[in-house]
Amino acid sequence: SEIWLWGKEDVSSTLGSKLSPTKIVWKVGLIFRSITVWGVTSCITGCFIRVAITCAAVLVFPFALLAHRCGVPFVPLHLLCQSYPWIGSQIDALRRNNAPTAPLLQALLIFLAIQSFSYVSCNLTWRLMVYRKSAPEGYE
């Protein structure tokens, strides 16, 4: 047997029956919950997009460093460091001190992967909490 978030009375109560104070309170609550869920989902998405845009620049640096080591003409590293100062300044400092840049790039890539996983997990959790069952059995 299938279990849905809404019952038969919820669907039939909105079809052609008189509006009572209880129904008005229920509908206002439904609207409030919908707006709240939309707001939380939008905030989570906004945070993820900011982090993803900031960290996605780290994907360019390993290719630039590899091309630089192989002697392949690529975007000069100093231009990349100027274009992405939140990563470039750290890479410049490491290179000036002859320290390896791989641990920094590795940490930023892992951070991006964790953020992506967190985002997908939050969206899945919200979908299950809010919609619980949104498709018939055997359809998913």
Side-chain angles (χ1 to χ4, degrees):
S1 90
E2 296 185 43
I3 300 172
W4 292 83
L5 180 60
W6 56 88
K8 194 174 193 178
E9 61 280 349
D10 294 333
V11 175
S12 63
S13 69
T14 59
L15 302 173
S17 61
K18 292 183 179 179
L19 210 54
S20 69
T22 307
K23 289 179 187 176
I24 292 173
V25 169
W26 182 77
K27 288 182 183 195
V28 168
L30 184 63
I31 290 170
F32 179 74
R33 285 190 308 255
S34 298
I35 291 171
T36 302
V37 168
W38 173 79
V40 169
T41 304
S42 295
C43 287
I44 291 170
T45 301
C47 289
F48 171 73
I49 288 174
R50 272 183 189 231
V51 169
I53 288 172
T54 302
C55 290
V58 78
L59 299 173
V60 177
F61 280 92
F63 293 117
L65 290 170
L66 183 64
H68 183 69
R69 283 187 187 159
C70 295
V72 177
F74 194 70
V75 176
L77 196 59
H78 72 280
L79 286 179
L80 279 177
C81 291
Q82 289 174 354
S83 298
Y84 306 107
W86 57 92
I87 299 172
S89 61
Q90 297 168 2
I91 288 180
D92 267 346
L94 290 171
R95 294 189 78 209
R96 274 190 306 243
N97 294 318
N98 292 325
T101 57
L104 172 67
L105 295 174
Q106 209 173 33
L108 289 170
L109 286 170
I110 290 170
F111 179 70
L112 183 61
I114 289 171
Q115 288 296 318
S116 300
F117 177 76
S118 299
Y119 173 70
V120 171
S121 299
C122 284
N123 273 340
L124 179 63
T125 302
W126 272 103
R127 192 189 84 179
L128 292 174
M129 284 174 58
V130 173
Y131 301 115
R132 290 189 200 157
K133 180 146 179 74
S134 57
E137 192 173 318
Y139 186 70
E140 291 181 327

